[in-house]
Amino acid sequence: RRAVVAPTSILEVETTDETRFTTGIGELNRVLGGGIVSGSLVLVGGDPGIGKSTILLQMCRNMSEMGQKILYVSGEESLSQIKMRAERIGNFTKDMLLLCVNNLEDVEEYVKKDTPKVIVIDSIQTIVTDDVESAPGSVSQVKEVTARLMRMAKTGIAIFIVGHVTKEGTVAGPRTLEHMVDTVLYFEGERNAGFRVLRAVKNRFGSTNEIGVFEMKGTGLAEVKNPSQLMLDGRPDDTSGSVVVCTMEGTRPILLEIQALVCQSSFNLPRRTSVGLDYNRVNLLLAVLEKRGGIVMAGCDAYVNIAGGMRLDDPSADLGIVFALVSSFKNRAIPSDMVMFGEMGLSGEVRGVSGAEQRVREAAKMGFKTCIIPRSNLDNVKKMKDLGDMKVVGVANIQQALEYI
């Protein structure tokens, strides 16, 4: 007979800090919430060639240099193929162990003999177990292999698993895969773009909004300590349709350039195109501009883009999108030392946003002289003492914003 399990009062439970250790990569530590948690299971997803295996190899290299024993399991590449990629990254130590197998039982046999600090599985769709009679990558195989890895991780081993993604951008296989693991990281960015964004979409040990920014180089992925400077590099001066906004990614403020191009349409139905922004959001703001701002663009094509290939979902960029559209429509440049943020409502009101102080501080640090913000955030920002000679302007609605420029 099974023993009866009694519940425990929450007041009797003692909390202990998670045992963390560094990856040797500051941006990866940030996304993980401060480092790797012992006994955690981390899923890393992203498009082919985006850099998933590269960053995990760099992490393994750093940790092996610290004397940590690392096991890298590959079901896709041979030992020589992994070594060729590793040589581009740098020199490795003897504590970096490679295992090219497709059977989970082989991994479990090694772990019984010698317990590594970290295990990397590249990729989960290529690993199979004899307990399930189905093809590699099938729903039943992926679920069973992940469940077994989860039990292995709870013995104190941190396990990273690489997941292939579908054309929609989600991890291939059952959706329960993301529910089973402790942390889900996604690599974003265009393959031809110079930088990559590592984003946490689930994290039981930290924030789910943090991002890490990397630049792809010949020797691997290099950390970008100041993303704002990278995103604004090469920005044109005194050009209509160009506006800088300040968005928040987790606890990090980042300055981005929004570009808009508005021109007379040659079609009965004007074209609307957005890159890096929600298409429906841009259409909504065009309607607000016409109804509340009195600027009619019904006969114009409108193209909106985030320079640098970044993806932006923060509604605080609304004010910047509106300014960029009006600037291009009027062919009148916004001052290059001006930055702005604010959410736009359907009544034309500019709503307050969170983290206004951090956003304004980042803009001042980058040398901007004027910042347009929601009026509801103005009182808290005016109390700040470290803004230098920056002028902060609060606007309550779209009419006030348009009058100011």
Side-chain angles (χ1 to χ4, degrees), residues 327-341:
S327 171
S328 179
F329 181 70
K330 299 279 191 182
N331 199 26
R332 197 173 300 169
I334 301 292
S336 58
D337 61 353
M338 179 182 289
V339 66
M340 62 199 66
F341 57 85

Side-chain angles (χ1 to χ4, degrees), residues 146-195:
T146 304
R148 297 260 287 271
L149 289 173
M150 185 170 60
R151 289 194 291 270
M152 188 188 300
K154 298 315 170 190
T155 63
I157 305 172
I159 301 179
F160 286 77
I161 57 178
V162 175
H164 295 161
V165 296
T166 63
K167 60 184 179 181
E168 287 82 19
T170 58
V171 174
R175 194 69 182 180
T176 53
L177 181 63
E178 296 189 12
H179 296 294
M180 295 167 72
V181 301
D182 298 310
T183 304
V184 180
L185 308 180
Y186 272 101
F187 248 122
E188 301 173 357
E190 298 294 332
R191 290 183 62 182
N192 298 325
F195 71 93

Side-chain angles (χ1 to χ4, degrees), residues 10-76:
I10 192 171
L11 300 178
E12 298 175 8
V13 178
E14 294 182 1
T15 57
T16 57
D17 293 334
E18 306 99 353
T19 304
R20 293 183 183 268
F21 49 95
T22 181
T23 64
I25 305 174
E27 292 292 294
L28 181 55
N29 285 340
R30 170 197 286 271
V31 177
L32 289 171
I36 302 173
V37 176
S38 297
S40 61
L41 185 59
V42 181
L43 172 64
V44 182
D47 294 331
I50 202 75
K52 303 183 297 294
S53 300
T54 300
I55 194 170
L56 291 176
L57 268 178
Q58 289 179 232
M59 178 192 76
C60 293
R61 173 179 176 269
N62 294 340
M63 297 185 65
S64 64
E65 287 183 339
M66 301 174 198
Q68 311 277 15
K69 186 165 287 187
I70 311 296
L71 178 63
Y72 190 98
V73 181
S74 177
E76 301 177 339

Side-chain angles (χ1 to χ4, degrees), residues 272 285-298 398:
R272 303 281 189 259
L285 293 172
L286 283 166
V288 173
L289 258 176
E290 180 172 341
K291 182 72 173 180
R292 308 298 180 186
I295 297 178
V296 181
M297 300 186 191
I398 189 172

Side-chain angles (χ1 to χ4, degrees), residues 119-306:
I119 298 176
V120 176
I121 306 292
D122 188 6
S123 66
I124 189 66
Q125 281 87 1
T126 61
I127 305 297
V128 297
T129 174
D130 295 336
D131 295 343
V132 177
E133 296 182 357
S134 60
S138 62
V139 171
S140 53
Q141 281 284 6
V142 171
K143 288 178 68 174
E144 179 63 23
V145 170
T146 304
R148 297 260 287 271
L149 289 173
M150 185 170 60
R151 289 194 291 270
M152 188 188 300
K154 298 315 170 190
T155 63
I157 305 172
I159 301 179
F160 286 77
I161 57 178
V162 175
H164 295 161
V165 296
T166 63
K167 60 184 179 181
E168 287 82 19
T170 58
V171 174
R175 194 69 182 180
T176 53
L177 181 63
E178 296 189 12
H179 296 294
M180 295 167 72
V181 301
D182 298 310
T183 304
V184 180
L185 308 180
Y186 272 101
F187 248 122
E188 301 173 357
E190 298 294 332
R191 290 183 62 182
N192 298 325
F195 71 93
R196 307 283 190 268
V197 175
L198 182 64
R199 187 185 303 273
V201 296
K202 174 188 176 181
N203 193 352
R204 289 177 177 154
F205 310 112
S207 172
T208 56
N209 294 318
E210 293 291 357
I211 67 165
V213 183
F214 299 88
E215 186 177 4
M216 181 61 81
K217 296 186 176 179
T219 56
L221 290 162
E223 298 178 69
V224 177
K225 303 290 186 182
N226 190 345
S228 297
Q229 188 170 358
L230 174 70
M231 302 301 174
L232 298 180
D233 191 27
R235 177 176 172 246
D237 293 330
D238 299 323
T239 302
S240 64
S242 174
V243 171
V244 177
V245 299
C246 191
T247 181
M248 291 290 290
E249 294 287 356
T251 58
R252 166 186 278 180
I254 297 179
L255 297 175
L256 298 173
E257 180 192 0
I258 295 179
Q259 295 178 331
L261 180 63
V262 179
C263 54
Q264 288 297 316
S265 179
S266 306
F267 308 96
N268 293 330
L269 185 65
R271 298 187 64 179
R272 303 281 189 259
T273 303
S274 65
V275 179
L277 290 161
D278 182 14
Y279 170 81
N280 294 320
R281 191 77 184 173
V282 174
N283 279 332
L284 182 148
L285 293 172
L286 283 166
V288 173
L289 258 176
E290 180 172 341
K291 182 72 173 180
R292 308 298 180 186
I295 297 178
V296 181
M297 300 186 191
C300 298
D301 295 333
Y303 307 91
V304 186
N305 174 49
I306 300 290

